[in-house]
Amino acid sequence: DDIVEVEDISNQTITILAPTSGSVLTTATINFSWNAVEDAENYKLQIATPNFESANQIMLDTTINETNFFQVLELGSYEWRVRAQNSDFQTNYTTQSFTIEE
């Protein structure tokens, strides 16, 4: 029997590329982007408004295989977070906040 060992990625950190905290955007189509984590199988991406602590709404809660994701959002304040995961381990969420204005 072959034992497949899954790499422990729990101590790794995701590096956010965009949008970063404090960003003020003027477009409704947002490209969420981050650096890949070695040995991650996919990524858990969540978006809340205005933030996760006092969320009025969770806008998105999805698992994707890529390191970027496009989402159309309305004007307002948002917080987003992403974590890497594989079959046995996950990283901590990396969280950023941004605002969409006209």
Side-chain angles (χ1 to χ4, degrees):
D1 289 326
D2 288 339
I3 296 175
V4 177
E5 193 156 318
V6 177
E7 287 295 320
D8 184 352
I9 62 171
S10 59
N11 290 329
Q12 296 194 48
T13 303
I14 290 190
T15 302
I16 299 290
L17 300 176
T20 55
S21 277
S23 295
V24 178
L25 309 174
T26 56
T27 179
T29 303
I30 310 302
N31 180 13
F32 296 90
S33 178
W34 57 92
N35 283 335
V37 170
E38 191 174 344
D39 299 311
E41 293 171 4
N42 53 46
Y43 300 89
K44 179 80 163 178
L45 173 65
Q46 296 179 327
I47 305 169
T49 182
N51 56 51
F52 289 102
E53 193 169 303
S54 56
N56 290 339
Q57 186 174 4
I58 301 296
M59 307 298 290
L60 181 73
D61 185 357
T62 189
T63 301
I64 60 173
N65 297 323
E66 309 298 320
T67 57
N68 70 309
F69 186 84
F70 288 89
Q71 179 72 29
V72 176
L73 297 170
E74 296 178 8
L75 300 179
S77 297
Y78 296 91
E79 196 169 66
W80 73 288
R81 62 189 182 186
V82 63
R83 75 177 184 207
Q85 47 195 30
N86 59 31
S87 59
D88 292 348
F89 302 98
Q90 63 194 31
T91 65
N92 288 327
Y93 278 108
T94 299
T95 305
Q96 305 283 299
S97 57
F98 65 96
T99 304
I100 303 174
E101 297 179 350
E102 286 189 61

